[in-house]
Amino acid sequence: MLFSFPTTSRRRFDTLSEQEILALAISSEEDDARIYLAYADHLRADYPASAKVFEDMAEVEHSHRNMLIDMHRRRFGDRIPLIRREHVSGFISQRPDWLRQTLTLEQIRDEAERMEEEAHSFYLEAAKRTTDAQTRQLLGDLALAEEGHSDTARMLEGRHMTEEARGKEDETARRQFVLTYVQPGLAGLMDGSVSTLAPIFAAAFATQDSWQTFLVGLSASVGAGISMGFTEAAHDDGKISGRGSPIKRGLACGIMTTLGGLGHALPYLIPSFWTATILAIAIVFIELWAIAFIQNRFMETPFLRAAFQVVLGGGLVLAAGILIGSA
């Protein structure tokens, strides 16, 4: 909600004068225009058509600002009070520019939609609190304009986003998703699923104790996840390679590594050793086929080749663990 959770450090909206309401509207339009331009700068290299859309949306915000300034000048003169959204309770905090650099194209579009909804709510409330007819009409018109911004955005996209441009941007977004999440996640899943096979099954057949085997599997999985996560995050900051945020890649890699190992460690919570072992082996082959599917789906590796490589490699590691543990 726009006007919820008042705080003592901010003004309540219902205490603002009409001059302050106009001043708040002016600063808000200025801020939104700057945000759209920041989005355009962020997107220009990889998504030039979307960047142009946000540049045009910034121009729309500038035109709203100019109308509000003209109204303020007619009613209150040239001096505009300094009041911004962060001075008034109920407004959603805006991200600083350095945090916007990590947003994806879809997140940026969602953020822009949220900004327009907040602006629409603001102008509706502002119009209710204004007694001057011309000011009230202007605020009402701006509320309708903000409500119709989705139509404006679609119109601008139709102007700049040709079918070819949209196809290129969609492909760029898919590539970025693969580089940031799928590739490190797949590397982690492969490492967690395969590298933990030998120690877990060696411990299983050496001790034939489900609980001890589970502890070995848990420690191997968590340790591998931490190691792989830090390695992925530390070895490439993503600036030259374009692989995206190292924190996101590190989390994807570390979490999938841990899950890959835990998949065949958790069955050893079952007290019956042979029941747990049979279930763990079945889960191993499910994990290996899942890896082959992901390679085929996102990395465009032929499924049979991926399945042969992964299942053969995993099977050899599994056999090595069983043989070592049985020795």
Side-chain angles (χ1 to χ4, degrees), residues 47-296:
Y47 308 102
S50 290
K52 186 61 179 173
V53 170
F54 280 106
E55 286 178 352
D56 285 359
M57 290 177 70
E59 286 299 318
V60 173
E61 301 302 315
H62 278 306
S63 68
H64 292 173
R65 165 187 171 274
N66 292 337
M67 288 189 290
L68 289 162
I69 289 176
D70 287 342
M71 178 61 69
H72 186 279
R73 184 178 288 117
R74 288 199 298 271
R75 292 194 60 196
F76 303 109
D78 290 332
R79 193 189 70 79
I80 301 174
L82 177 59
I83 182 168
R84 306 173 70 91
R85 282 183 287 215
E86 57 266 30
H87 302 154
V88 180
S89 63
F91 282 96
I92 300 172
S93 298
Q94 300 293 334
R95 287 185 177 91
D97 282 349
W98 61 86
L99 289 182
R100 293 195 182 94
Q101 301 302 314
T102 64
L103 297 179
T104 65
L105 177 59
E106 286 305 314
Q107 288 173 325
I108 287 175
R109 287 172 175 165
D110 291 342
E111 184 80 1
E113 184 176 350
R114 181 195 63 74
M115 289 166 55
E116 290 157 12
E117 291 173 355
E118 183 183 59
H120 171 64
S121 298
F122 163 69
Y123 283 123
L124 286 179
E125 294 296 325
K128 293 176 186 177
R129 294 194 48 78
T130 304
T131 57
D132 179 75
Q134 288 185 325
T135 305
R136 187 164 187 163
Q137 180 180 355
L138 173 60
L139 295 174
D141 290 344
L142 291 175
L144 291 175
E146 295 294 344
E147 186 179 30
H149 262 197
S150 58
D151 295 330
T152 303
R154 279 192 291 271
M155 179 195 71
L156 294 173
E157 286 183 3
R159 181 190 303 171
H160 300 297
M161 296 284 288
T162 64
E163 200 168 312
E164 181 182 2
R166 182 175 290 277
K168 288 181 179 179
E169 291 198 353
D170 289 344
E171 180 58 30
T172 300
R174 180 185 180 279
R175 177 178 176 274
Q176 192 63 56
F177 174 75
V178 170
L179 290 175
T180 304
Y181 295 103
V182 177
Q183 191 180 68
L186 179 61
L189 183 60
M190 292 177 68
D191 184 86
S193 297
V194 176
S195 70
T196 59
L197 288 176
I200 289 176
F201 284 97
F205 281 85
T207 65
Q208 296 199 6
D209 184 308
S210 290
W211 179 247
Q212 295 300 320
T213 301
F214 170 72
L215 292 178
V216 170
L218 179 63
S219 61
S221 302
V222 173
I226 294 172
S227 174
M228 286 288 289
F230 272 102
T231 300
E232 176 63 37
H235 89 278
D236 178 11
D237 62 8
K239 293 179 180 178
I240 296 177
S241 66
R243 297 178 64 224
S245 166
I247 295 176
K248 292 179 180 178
R249 296 195 332 268
L251 286 173
C253 186
I255 291 171
M256 293 307 294
T257 301
T258 302
L259 291 178
L262 286 178
H264 44 268
L266 289 175
Y268 285 99
L269 289 171
I270 300 172
S272 172
F273 171 75
W274 285 108
T275 301
T277 299
I278 292 170
L279 179 59
I281 292 174
I283 290 175
V284 167
F285 282 97
I286 293 173
E287 292 170 349
L288 297 178
W289 281 105
I291 292 170
F293 171 79
I294 295 172
Q295 284 185 317
N296 173 255

